[in-house]
Amino acid sequence: MAQLLKGAPVVAAMNEKNAARCAALAARGITPTLAVVRVGQREDDLAYEKGVLARCGKVGVAVRPFVLPAEATQAQLLEALAGVNADRTIHGCLLFRPLPAGMDDRTIRAALAPEKDVDGITDGSLAGVFTGTGEGFAPCTAQACMEILDYYGIPLEGKRVVVVGRSLVVGKPAAMLLDRKNATVTLCNSRTQNLPALCREADVLVVAMGKRGFIGADCIRPGQVVVDVGIHVNEEGKLCGDVRFAEAEPLAGAITPVPGGVGTVTTSVLVEHVVDAAQRASEKE
Amino acid sequence: MAQLLKGAPVVAAMNEKNAARCAALAARGITPTLAVVRVGQREDDLAYEKGVLARCGKVGVAVRPFVLPAEATQAQLLEALAGVNADRTIHGCLLFRPLPAGMDDRTIRAALAPEKDVDGITDGSLAGVFTGTGEGFAPCTAQACMEILDYYGIPLEGKRVVVVGRSLVVGKPAAMLLDRKNATVTLCNSRTQNLPALCREADVLVVAMGKRGFIGADCIRPGQVVVDVGIHVNEEGKLCGDVRFAEAEPLAGAITPVPGGVGTVTTSVLVEHVVDAAQRASEKE
């Protein structure tokens, strides 16, 4: 029976801290404020936005929506971002992606002021993650993995960590954040040979492939810590991860559930970043 | 007896290619030009500069030295970099570091135009290395490792590569460049437990710790490819690497010598970057 690394207590602890920091900023007349920039009405975006709004409201972060019609042009989106950049009462910006066809992702990302990039999508943030200099913000999901490991006191220094999946949203930044904790990190990809044996070498296994149920018992060493970043809907309409939980849980020492694990923590990280951004902006003035 | 992965033939092939590209640019009236910015007269800098001048001269890259006195101020250095940035006949810039005490490395790095950052020191270049989007330039030594592996046809896709050392100049960017070749990369650091066993798992072992003779026979699996990035002077005044060559060579399948290995290739990578920068600039006009 593995220890369940649930997101809820991590979120509760983060909420408490974020609320206290918001109150301290409010006392100085500052309301940490998040711009949410969305093009169209994609269902995924709306669901995530709803979660963000609720979480922000709970701790005292204001949200300013910028909603463009699905047929908006790139120029209109750039104009919206310029407005966000120029507005000193806005501290962070969440831009929903993927962008509609016809918009250039790189151009749009480059248009956001790095200091407001609380979701880690600009080059400035990615360079900061890579160099460890603390510039910008790490992608929220990658950092959510770290918050869970930290909350549950999972040792990382000197430990073997295997990260399966190398996206810029999770795998690669998670590898860098883990390296910063002095873990020995192996970054796997779809061409990796003998993946199960390699996974079993890990003290901590972080799975972020985006392939439903890809990781099974053959990849798990008894006692291992397993962090499952995947989120999918199975044939029965239930949420599940990249890891086959029923196989992994009896073997693992600790494991994040899906739902109720990493995904739960992501919006709290976003909120924390908005508070950080407001704090940093206030220190510059 | 290991195959010796010497730098000289890699350099010869790169020189030939760089010279042909310079000739093609010259035919269009463009002389790829490198600014060399140096503060003071440190012996290491002068030796490297000499190598750069010779290599540039050979292939048709012009060099423009900007030499500041050892007692120069940060403002003076920033002014020199502004001059480099503004000069459209300069395509790349090599800035010698470490900078003198009293200068802020981050401020200085940020002052260089990313498109002229042929030595991979700006955030733009580091973000490009991390994201794999081809922006900026990789640090030359990290890319020199890749040039050697490529020249000698060492397979990387799906292979295990262990990188020992995680500096921003070599280890981390090398890990990213290897990942881009679909290798499975493990990044080790000074806290890594059971380093010898981990090293022996690698198909390719890249050693960039900066510790003389740190890696010995216990870290080498028979047949392995070993890339030694270290460069030190031993008690007898001879150059040597991070790997104890006499121990490793009989075991390894292939190994880079020190001297005559990675270090030899670094300036050719720099020259290639200047040619790349000139080409990119000409395509923008």
Side-chain angles (χ1 to χ4, degrees), chain A residues 106 123 130 133 135 157-158 160 166 172 176 179 182-187 189 191-193 198 201, chain B residues 106 123 133 135 157-158 160 166 172 176 179 182-187 189 191-193 198 201:
Chain A
R106 187 191 275 193
D123 278 358
F130 183 58
T133 47
E135 286 170 282
E157 174 143 337
R160 285 289 301 276
R166 55 172 167 174
K172 271 188 190 165
M176 291 299 125
D179 171 80
N182 298 317
T184 300
V185 184
T186 302
L187 191 58
N189 58 67
R191 325 294 167 87
T192 295
Q193 293 166 6
L198 189 54
E201 288 182 19
Chain B
R106 187 190 275 192
D123 277 359
T133 47
E135 286 170 282
E157 174 143 337
R160 286 289 300 277
R166 54 172 168 174
K172 271 189 189 164
M176 291 299 125
D179 171 80
N182 298 317
T184 301
V185 184
T186 302
L187 190 58
N189 58 67
R191 325 294 166 88
T192 296
Q193 293 166 6
L198 189 54
E201 289 183 17

Side-chain angles (χ1 to χ4, degrees), chain A residues 14-98:
Chain A
M14 291 181 77
N15 276 352
E16 198 175 326
K17 202 172 132 195
N18 286 333
R21 293 179 64 201
C22 278
L25 285 163
R28 295 166 49 201
I30 300 162
T31 306
T33 300
L34 173 70
V36 175
V37 179
R38 173 163 53 79
V39 182
Q41 314 280 341
R42 292 198 327 143
E43 226 169 274
D44 285 2
D45 294 351
L46 292 170
Y48 189 67
E49 187 174 312
K50 202 175 146 191
V52 169
L53 281 165
R55 193 61 51 84
C56 284
K58 207 169 253 176
V59 300
V61 166
V63 178
R64 298 253 299 273
F66 291 72
V67 180
L68 285 79
E71 63 279 10
T73 62
Q74 175 159 318
Q76 288 173 311
L77 180 53
L78 289 172
E79 201 186 315
L81 290 175
V84 167
N85 289 344
D87 189 334
R88 292 179 59 205
T89 67
I90 292 175
H91 305 101
C93 176
L94 172 67
L95 167 67
F96 282 106
R97 296 189 304 155

Side-chain angles (χ1 to χ4, degrees), chain B residues 9-271:
Chain B
V10 186
V11 168
M14 291 180 77
N15 277 351
E16 198 176 328
K17 202 171 131 196
N18 286 333
R21 292 179 63 201
C22 278
L25 284 163
R28 295 166 49 202
I30 299 162
T31 306
T33 301
L34 173 71
V36 175
V37 179
R38 173 162 53 79
V39 182
Q41 314 279 340
R42 292 198 328 143
E43 227 170 275
D44 285 3
D45 294 352
L46 292 171
Y48 189 67
E49 187 174 313
K50 203 176 145 189
V52 168
L53 281 166
R55 192 62 49 83
C56 284
K58 207 171 253 176
V59 299
V61 166
V63 178
R64 298 253 299 273
F66 290 72
V67 180
L68 285 79
E71 63 278 10
T73 63
Q74 175 158 319
Q76 288 172 310
L77 180 54
L78 289 172
E79 202 187 314
L81 290 175
V84 166
N85 289 344
D87 188 334
R88 293 179 58 203
T89 66
I90 293 175
H91 305 101
C93 176
L94 171 67
L95 167 67
F96 282 106
R97 295 188 303 155
L99 298 166
M103 291 200 191
D104 180 54
D105 189 71
R106 187 190 275 192
T107 305
I108 298 293
R109 286 193 296 111
L112 180 61
E115 67 271 19
K116 300 192 180 184
D117 174 29
V118 288
D119 199 24
I121 64 170
T122 62
D123 277 359
S125 285
L126 291 168
V129 167
F130 183 58
T131 60
T133 47
E135 286 170 282
F137 297 91
C140 294
T141 306
Q143 193 179 325
C145 299
M146 304 304 295
E147 297 289 344
I148 290 178
L149 293 168
D150 182 56
Y151 179 87
Y152 288 101
I154 311 289
L156 291 171
E157 174 143 337
K159 299 298 179 188
R160 286 289 300 277
V161 181
V162 170
V163 177
V164 186
R166 54 172 168 174
S167 73
L168 281 174
V169 180
V170 192
K172 271 189 189 164
M176 291 299 125
L177 297 175
L178 289 157
D179 171 80
R180 218 180 290 176
K181 296 286 182 186
N182 298 317
T184 301
V185 184
T186 302
L187 190 58
C188 299
N189 58 67
S190 59
R191 325 294 166 88
T192 296
Q193 293 166 6
N194 304 322
L195 182 69
L198 189 54
C199 288
R200 290 196 305 270
E201 289 183 17
D203 299 303
V204 177
L205 179 63
V206 177
V207 185
M209 307 193 73
K211 291 186 183 170
R212 171 154 67 95
F214 192 84
I215 296 291
D218 58 332
C219 297
I220 311 291
R221 179 165 53 82
Q224 207 171 35
V225 175
V226 179
V227 176
D228 186 356
V229 182
I231 188 146
H232 313 272
V233 180
N234 71 9
E235 289 88 354
E236 298 154 16
K238 284 187 179 164
L239 290 174
C240 60
D242 286 357
V243 177
R244 299 198 290 276
F245 188 83
E247 287 181 29
E249 190 272 341
L251 291 166
I255 185 168
T256 61
V258 179
V262 176
T264 329
V265 180
T266 304
T267 48
S268 291
V269 172
L270 181 73
V271 168

Side-chain angles (χ1 to χ4, degrees), chain A residues 20-272:
Chain A
R21 293 179 64 201
C22 278
L25 285 163
R28 295 166 49 201
I30 300 162
T31 306
T33 300
L34 173 70
V36 175
V37 179
R38 173 163 53 79
V39 182
Q41 314 280 341
R42 292 198 327 143
E43 226 169 274
D44 285 2
D45 294 351
L46 292 170
Y48 189 67
E49 187 174 312
K50 202 175 146 191
V52 169
L53 281 165
R55 193 61 51 84
C56 284
K58 207 169 253 176
V59 300
V61 166
V63 178
R64 298 253 299 273
F66 291 72
V67 180
L68 285 79
E71 63 279 10
T73 62
Q74 175 159 318
Q76 288 173 311
L77 180 53
L78 289 172
E79 201 186 315
L81 290 175
V84 167
N85 289 344
D87 189 334
R88 292 179 59 205
T89 67
I90 292 175
H91 305 101
C93 176
L94 172 67
L95 167 67
F96 282 106
R97 296 189 304 155
L99 299 166
M103 292 201 191
D104 180 53
D105 188 70
R106 187 191 275 193
T107 305
I108 298 293
R109 286 193 295 111
L112 180 62
E115 67 271 19
K116 299 192 180 184
D117 174 28
V118 289
D119 200 24
I121 65 169
T122 61
D123 278 358
S125 284
L126 292 168
V129 167
F130 183 58
T131 60
T133 47
E135 286 170 282
F137 297 92
C140 295
T141 306
Q143 193 179 325
C145 299
M146 304 304 295
E147 297 289 344
I148 291 179
L149 293 169
D150 182 56
Y151 178 86
Y152 288 101
I154 311 290
L156 291 171
E157 174 143 337
K159 298 297 177 189
R160 285 289 301 276
V161 181
V162 170
V163 177
V164 186
R166 55 172 167 174
S167 73
L168 281 174
V169 181
V170 193
K172 271 188 190 165
M176 291 299 125
L177 297 175
L178 289 158
D179 171 80
R180 218 180 291 176
K181 296 284 182 189
N182 298 317
T184 300
V185 184
T186 302
L187 191 58
C188 299
N189 58 67
S190 59
R191 325 294 167 87
T192 295
Q193 293 166 6
N194 304 319
L195 182 68
L198 189 54
C199 287
R200 290 196 305 270
E201 288 182 19
D203 299 302
V204 176
L205 179 64
V206 177
V207 186
M209 307 194 71
K211 291 187 185 169
R212 170 154 66 95
F214 192 84
I215 296 290
D218 58 334
C219 297
I220 311 289
R221 179 165 53 83
Q224 206 169 35
V225 175
V226 180
V227 177
D228 186 355
V229 182
I231 189 144
H232 313 272
V233 181
N234 71 9
E235 290 88 353
E236 298 153 15
K238 284 188 179 164
L239 290 175
C240 60
D242 286 356
V243 177
R244 300 198 290 275
F245 188 83
E247 285 182 31
E249 189 273 340
L251 291 167
I255 186 168
T256 62
V258 179
V262 177
T264 330
V265 180
T266 304
T267 48
S268 291
V269 172
L270 182 72
V271 169
E272 184 178 86

